[in-house]
């Protein structure tokens, strides 16, 4: 498949121009945010709102308020508009894929990129936190896994793998059911919250509800400093190489699936008797579906 190209519209106003035009109306703390964004637009694309606030010497709430004051719906909208401004027409999802590449060459380059993404992420995960997360999940009466958007697909994959080794797993699919499950989770259960950015409002809302109930929590995210990481008990930060802002969620999902696979194997090894008994049932059922 040829590399993907994105068109820009001349009718879309410049994000940086919009910020400059609103400077006189901003408060001193909002102005610090604005000046940081104006000076580092390409860097901001790959930062969390907490990181921008810290670098600018302002509060996270100020950064969010700044985004709305200058006409964006939120921080993610600002990042999307900045990406549009700073990404040229020649910027592609996979920079090393050329239009003249044969399909086989494209396959090798994309697979190589995927390998580098996972290798990069492996170095960002704290092994002690991973061990603690495995212990938490193994001891829980039930594991509640919450994800929104593309993270829901990762959550469903986790459910399929973990139930196959005898763990009780719940992955609510409806948004209201996710929050209800968080608010009513058993105290001896635990929760894994999956969010690439760590800034998904509903995921944070669920994490806060779980924290209020005293339910142990872990986050699987690509962003080390985010609102989600401040709410949960432990954070598995798997931040790998990004293609661009528009495609960083793709690399994030790839890495998160690899982490889920690692959790699956580590949990199976922690209680091999339980895992073996469950897998025997799973494979017996699976074989009955095949010709």
């Amino acid at each position: 498949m040829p590399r993907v190209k994105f068109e820009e519209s001349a009718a879309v106003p410049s994000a940086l121009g919009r910020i400059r035009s609103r400077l006189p109306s901003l408060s001193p703390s909002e102005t610090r945010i604005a000046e940081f964004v104006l000076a580092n637009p390409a860097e901001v694309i790959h930062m969390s709102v907490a990181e921008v606030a810290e670098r600018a010497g302002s509060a996270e709430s100020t950064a969010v308020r700044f985004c709305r004051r200058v006409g964006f719906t939120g921080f993610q909208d600002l990042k999307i508009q900045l990406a549009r401004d700073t990404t040229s027409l020649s910027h592609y999802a996979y920079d090393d894929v050329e239009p003249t590449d044969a399909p086989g060459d494209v396959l090798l380059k994309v697979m190589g990129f995927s390998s580098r993404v996972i290798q990069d992420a492996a170095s960002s995960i704290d092994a002690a936190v991973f061990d603690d997360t495995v212990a938490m999940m193994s001891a829980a009466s039930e594991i509640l896994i919450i994800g929104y958007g593309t993270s829901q697909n990762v959550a469903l994959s986790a459910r399929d793998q973990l139930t196959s080794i005898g763990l009780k797993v719940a992955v609510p699919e409806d948004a209201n059911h996710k929050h209800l499950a968080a608010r009513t989770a058993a105290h001896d259960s635990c929760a894994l919250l999956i969010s690439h950015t760590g800034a998904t409002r509903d995921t944070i809302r669920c994490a806060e509800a779980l924290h209020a109930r005293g339910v142990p929590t872990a986050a699987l995210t690509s962003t080390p400093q985010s609102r989600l990481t401040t709410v949960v008990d432990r954070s598995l930060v798997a931040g790998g190489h990004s293609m661009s802002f528009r495609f960083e969620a793709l690399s994030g999902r790839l890495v998160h699936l690899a982490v889920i696979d690692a959790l699956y194997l580590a949990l199976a090894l922690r209680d091999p008797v339980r895992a073996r008994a469950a897998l025997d049932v799973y494979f017996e059922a699976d074989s009955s579906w095949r010709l």
Side-chain angles (χ1 to χ4, degrees):
M1 183 179 68
R3 55 185 182 176
V4 183
K5 183 165 70 175
F6 296 90
E7 301 292 339
E8 294 180 275
S9 171
V12 177
S14 163
L16 298 178
R18 187 188 305 181
I19 294 171
R20 290 190 188 96
S21 68
R22 301 292 180 87
L23 276 174
S25 65
L26 300 178
S27 68
S29 57
E30 292 169 343
T31 298
R32 289 197 296 273
I33 299 288
E35 290 175 343
F36 178 80
V37 173
L38 290 170
N40 307 277
E43 186 178 354
V44 169
I45 291 171
H46 301 287
M47 297 174 69
S48 69
V49 64
E51 290 172 322
V52 169
E54 181 180 1
R55 293 279 296 278
S58 293
E60 184 177 336
S61 58
T62 302
V64 174
R65 187 171 62 250
F66 153 78
C67 293
R68 293 171 180 161
R69 284 284 299 275
V70 297
F72 302 105
T73 58
F75 184 68
Q76 291 301 307
D77 185 31
L78 168 64
K79 290 171 67 172
I80 291 170
Q81 299 302 325
L82 285 174
R84 181 179 289 126
D85 285 355
T86 59
T87 304
S88 68
L89 292 176
S90 61
H91 188 85
Y92 297 88
Y94 298 93
D95 292 330
D96 57 349
V97 176
E98 301 296 335
T100 55
D101 284 344
D105 294 329
V106 174
L107 173 64
L108 290 175
K109 289 183 177 182
V110 172
M111 296 299 283
F113 175 85
S114 299
S115 176
R116 293 195 300 274
V117 165
I118 295 175
Q119 287 177 345
D120 289 347
S123 63
S124 71
I125 301 174
D126 188 316
V129 175
F130 183 83
D131 290 348
D132 189 34
T133 302
V134 170
M136 175 194 78
M137 296 174 72
S138 181
S141 63
E142 183 178 42
I143 304 168
L144 174 63
I145 306 179
I146 291 175
Y148 287 83
T150 57
S151 292
Q152 173 71 359
N153 295 327
V154 180
L156 291 171
S157 178
R159 179 198 63 189
D160 293 345
Q161 288 184 269
L162 299 182
T163 54
S164 75
I165 55 172
L167 294 168
K168 186 178 180 181
V169 181
V171 181
E173 298 197 32
D174 179 80
N176 288 334
H177 287 166
K178 294 179 201 290
H179 191 236
L180 179 62
R183 293 190 62 183
T184 59
H187 295 292
D188 60 351
S189 67
C190 74
L192 177 66
L193 300 108
I194 306 171
S195 173
H196 169 62
T197 63
T200 304
R201 183 177 303 171
D202 285 335
T203 305
I204 295 167
R205 186 173 171 229
C206 289
E208 291 172 341
L210 288 158
H211 178 73
R213 286 188 61 77
V215 175
T217 54
L220 175 54
T221 181
S222 305
T223 309
Q225 296 182 25
S226 66
R227 179 71 66 81
L228 181 61
T229 60
T230 67
V231 180
V232 298
D233 301 315
R234 50 192 67 77
S235 299
L236 296 172
V237 180
H241 178 81
S242 292
M243 293 175 272
S244 72
F245 172 70
R246 292 181 175 93
F247 277 81
E248 63 183 8
L250 296 181
S251 58
R253 184 163 69 251
L254 178 65
V255 167
H256 291 177
L257 285 169
V259 174
I260 292 300
D261 205 34
L263 286 170
Y264 160 76
L265 290 171
L267 285 161
L269 291 172
R270 190 175 182 88
D271 192 338
V273 174
R274 176 178 62 189
R276 183 70 267 169
L279 284 170
D280 286 343
V281 175
Y282 174 84
F283 286 124
E284 180 182 353
D286 183 62
S287 64
S288 68
W289 302 333
R290 301 177 185 272
L291 294 175

